């Protein structure tokens, strides 16, 4: 099929590359001229495992092209995906300026039936607005359909998630749109749920909000574990084996971050409020997440007594492993809190050093975990990158000033760390 994807950000690029890999002819569009010229030369603006090769392979086979003109893309495409950013405004509401702009430009470029698929994370009722915008700006009485097809891709495993989804959600209004979407996704082996458009929009909000709730719930449980001597990892395992609960998203730690959960939670609370409903649970989820960072800060304070002038090695800067994304990263928040207390910070991240240099000032950037830990009074593990799981703690013991490990993601076996001569502090690890 001929497809265009408007917006070559994270979602747009992954979706475009994966749809091209399935055999479609895909045009990725963006109004950022520099980004498009880079993409044409094979320079990918984000780090996502496997994306580089996928884009290069499909570009070479001419199944994936990059342009700046919406008009040109609309001319040649049967399906048009909207995947532009919806950044939060000051009040937490999603900024839909980009979506409106794109919808207007699509309308002005259409010369016949098109299927328009909304993929950006948007408030419920946005598809309705897109429909109204298209009808307003269409030159003739051209027919079109709108579909809501939310994405559930996780950074760091987005290509796997696209090709092995648990489900695909499609909000449709016509049989024709349903058939086109069925054909598009027929190569993926998973349930396709057809709903009305509002339900599809809400599924996205409700899913992300529920996952964030699970994390804040287990983080709250971790506090009780610390107070009682229970180990949150054992508690999570015991809970997760109940099929009604499920074992995923029960890892306690320094809290969730990223470009989705904090933003989507705000947007969902905002939508609810506008509709006259106070979604109280979500307020508690957000507050618990903020407090979790302060709780880990307090653990460091309790161990070091005085933070001022202490050297803290922070391992991992991204909000999760396998990405170079620093947006709303709890690691960065903790660094800023520690800096405010007068700590000297040394940092290392396997993929985000370049991005970090733009946003972190007054810290020492190191080439690896050992260099960062040299002379440290405390090592804070903030992101669970694979390479940190392999660290040699007897080697670290010889180079730190004080052997103290704060395991902000609970990835280590406390006994092994203690055997290597370190004091171990986890999150909810009981009598560690
Ligand atoms: C999320 C959703 O999972 C995805 O479906 C949606 O499309 C976009 O938002 P992403 O933000 O890439 O994806 O990462 P995810 O793996 O969901 O992790 C989000 C945050 O939660 C990370 O900071 C992670 O460290 C944290 N987390 C996750 C926990 O603290 N504990 C857990 O058990 C799981």
């Amino acid at each position: 099929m001929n497809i265009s994807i408007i917006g070559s950000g994270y979602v747009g690029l992954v979706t475009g590359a994966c749809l091209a890999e399935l055999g479609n002819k895909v045009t990725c569009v963006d109004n950022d001229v520099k980004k498009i010229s880079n993409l044409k030369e094979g320079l990918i603006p984000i780090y996502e495992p496997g994306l580089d090769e996928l884009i290069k392979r499909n570009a070479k086979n001419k199944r994936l092209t990059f342009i700046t003109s919406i008009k040109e893309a609309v001319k040649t495409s049967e399906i048009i995906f909207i995947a532009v950013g919806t950044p939060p405004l000051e009040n937490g509401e999603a900024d839909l300026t980009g979506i409106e702009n794109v919808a207007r430009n699509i309308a002005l470029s259409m010369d016949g039936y098109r299927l328009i698929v909304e993929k950006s994370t948007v408030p419920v009722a946005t598809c309705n607005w897109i429909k109204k915008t298209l009808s307003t700006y269409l030159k003739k009485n051209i027919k079109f359909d709108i579909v809501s097809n939310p994405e559930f891709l996780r950074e760091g495993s987005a290509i796997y998630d696209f090709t092995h989804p648990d489900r695909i959600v499609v909000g449709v209004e016509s049989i024709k749109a349903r058939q086109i979407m069925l054909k598009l996704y027929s190569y993926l082996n998973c349930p396709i749920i057809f709903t009305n458009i509002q339900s599809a929009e809400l599924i996205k909000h409700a899913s992300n909000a529920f996952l964030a709730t699970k994390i804040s719930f287990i983080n709250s449980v971790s506090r009780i574990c610390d107070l009682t001597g229970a180990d949150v990892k054992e508690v999570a395992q015991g809970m997760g084996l109940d099929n009604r609960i499920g074992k995923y998203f029960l890892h306690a730690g320094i809290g969730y971050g990223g470009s989705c959960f904090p933003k989507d939670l705000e947007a969902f609370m905002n939508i609810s409020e506008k509709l006259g409903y106070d979604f109280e649970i979500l307020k508690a989820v957000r507050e618990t997440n903020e407090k979790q960072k302060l709780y880990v800060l307090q653990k460091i304070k309790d161990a070091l007594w005085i933070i001022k002038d202490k050297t803290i090695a922070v391992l991992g800067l991204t909000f999760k492993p396998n990405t170079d994304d620093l947006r709303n990263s709890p690691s960065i928040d903790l660094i800023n809190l520690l800096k405010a207390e007068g700590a000297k910070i040394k940092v290392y991240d396997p993929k985000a050093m370049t991005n970090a240099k733009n946003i972190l000032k007054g810290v020492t950037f190191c080439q690896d975990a050992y260099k960062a830990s040299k002379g440290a009074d405390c090592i804070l593990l903030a992101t669970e990158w694979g390479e940190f799981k392999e660290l040699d703690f007897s080697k670290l013991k010889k180079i730190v000033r004080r052997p103290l490990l704060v395991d902000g993601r609970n990835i280590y076996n406390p006994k092994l760390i203690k055997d290597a001569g370190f004091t171990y502090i986890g999150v909810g690890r009981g009598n560690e």
Side-chain angles (χ1 to χ4, degrees):
M1 293 168 112
N2 282 311
I3 300 168
S4 59
I5 318 267
I6 305 189
S8 299
Y10 188 83
V11 173
L13 278 180
V14 172
T15 307
C18 289
L19 286 174
E21 183 74 4
L22 289 178
N24 300 289
K25 246 185 136 209
V26 180
T27 308
C28 287
V29 189
D30 205 287
N31 58 6
D32 183 336
V33 180
K34 180 90 185 119
K35 190 191 263 181
I36 291 296
S37 71
N38 280 346
L39 281 163
K40 279 182 179 162
E41 285 170 27
L43 296 171
I44 319 300
I46 47 169
Y47 171 73
E48 176 64 33
L51 185 62
D52 204 90
E53 303 93 89
L54 202 64
I55 290 183
K56 283 183 182 145
R57 183 166 63 243
N58 284 285
K60 198 171 160 215
N61 293 341
K62 307 249 177 300
R63 284 198 300 257
L64 189 59
T65 46
F66 301 98
I67 61 172
T68 50
S69 158
I70 291 188
K71 192 168 183 183
E72 222 174 289
V74 170
K75 224 189 308 172
T76 53
S77 310
E78 315 159 60
I79 308 179
I80 302 157
F81 279 84
I82 301 180
V84 293
T86 53
L89 293 166
E90 283 278 302
N91 62 0
E93 230 174 276
D95 183 355
L96 302 177
T97 321
I99 303 243
E100 198 258 356
N101 234 318
V102 166
R104 189 163 13 91
N105 279 305
I106 293 174
L108 295 173
S109 315
M110 268 168 60
D111 56 4
Y113 175 87
R114 296 289 186 279
L115 178 66
I116 291 121
V117 184
E118 208 301 299
K119 232 191 191 330
S120 306
T121 301
V122 291
V124 64
T126 300
C127 279
N128 218 2
W129 276 109
I130 297 178
K131 213 161 101 184
K132 280 190 203 159
T133 309
L134 284 161
S135 305
T136 310
Y137 291 97
L138 270 173
K139 287 179 203 137
K140 305 174 247 171
N141 192 17
I142 298 169
K143 293 216 167 350
F144 66 89
D145 274 308
I146 293 278
V147 163
S148 165
N149 175 213
E151 57 87 17
F152 300 102
L153 310 174
R154 286 166 302 172
E155 291 188 27
S157 53
I159 291 166
Y160 179 86
D161 289 350
F162 188 97
T163 46
H164 302 80
D166 289 343
R167 80 309 200 185
I168 291 173
V169 174
V170 185
V172 281
E173 283 180 328
S174 81
I175 292 173
K176 184 170 180 178
R178 183 188 168 115
Q179 281 165 344
I180 297 173
M181 292 305 283
L182 207 52
K183 185 174 161 203
L184 178 70
Y185 287 127
S186 59
Y187 297 96
L188 297 176
N189 185 19
C190 73
I192 302 184
I193 320 282
F194 286 100
T195 66
N196 74 28
I197 287 183
Q198 291 84 339
S199 302
E201 291 173 325
L202 259 187
I203 287 169
K204 168 75 188 194
H205 281 298
S207 300
N208 273 358
F210 188 75
L211 291 170
T213 305
K214 260 186 119 172
I215 300 169
S216 278
F217 184 86
I218 201 68
N219 280 337
S220 295
V221 172
S222 79
R223 307 283 291 262
I224 304 296
C225 288
D226 275 339
L227 295 169
T228 54
D231 183 337
V232 73
K233 288 191 85 150
E234 291 176 355
V235 176
Q237 189 192 13
M239 288 168 64
L241 285 172
D242 183 329
N243 282 333
R244 292 168 304 174
I245 297 172
K247 63 183 177 181
Y248 300 105
F249 279 68
L250 286 180
H251 299 290
I254 60 175
Y256 63 75
S259 65
C260 285
F261 285 175
K263 170 174 94 97
D264 290 0
L265 214 67
E266 282 307 314
F268 200 19
M269 281 187 274
N270 206 283
I271 296 162
S272 313
E273 199 182 311
K274 275 195 171 161
L275 293 168
Y277 178 69
D278 182 6
F279 212 140
E280 285 174 281
I281 294 177
L282 299 186
K283 289 181 184 163
V285 168
R286 176 181 59 188
E287 203 180 319
T288 302
N289 197 53
E290 287 312 307
K291 284 187 179 156
Q292 195 70 4
K293 290 174 250 189
L294 300 177
Y295 181 54
V296 174
L297 175 72
Q298 189 58 46
K299 277 175 178 274
I300 301 174
K301 272 190 191 171
D302 289 347
L304 290 177
W305 182 33
I306 305 291
I307 298 245
K308 191 165 182 300
D309 292 334
K310 295 278 163 54
T311 301
I312 301 186
V314 179
L315 306 186
L317 298 171
T318 50
F319 76 102
K320 65 183 284 190
N322 300 321
T323 174
D324 60 357
D325 198 342
L326 296 170
R327 284 177 288 177
N328 293 309
S329 171
S331 169
I332 302 289
D333 290 343
L334 264 168
I335 289 172
N336 287 329
L337 289 167
L338 288 163
K339 267 174 62 191
E341 300 269 344
K344 294 180 188 150
I345 308 287
K346 293 174 81 183
V347 302
Y348 167 68
D349 186 281
K351 286 279 177 230
M353 297 301 267
T354 313
N355 289 350
K357 284 176 187 160
N358 295 326
I359 60 161
L360 274 181
K361 303 291 166 210
V363 306
T364 308
F365 293 94
C366 304
Q367 281 159 348
D368 61 36
Y370 296 96
K371 292 202 172 90
S373 304
K374 195 158 183 274
D377 297 288
C378 169
I379 299 175
L380 168 64
L381 184 286
T383 317
E384 68 277 33
W385 284 91
E387 67 176 68
F388 298 148
K389 294 178 184 161
E390 314 297 326
L391 286 177
D392 180 344
F393 276 88
S394 6
K395 191 171 154 190
L396 283 169
K397 168 85 173 26
K398 295 189 190 117
I399 55 174
V400 294
R401 187 155 81 170
R402 176 175 168 179
L404 169 67
L405 172 76
V406 175
D407 181 2
R409 298 289 186 170
N410 288 346
I411 61 171
Y412 297 111
N413 177 333
K415 183 175 178 317
L416 296 181
I417 301 296
K418 279 186 245 171
D419 288 351
F422 269 78
T423 301
Y424 177 89
I425 297 174
V427 182
R429 303 302 297 274
N431 300 323
E432 60 210 17

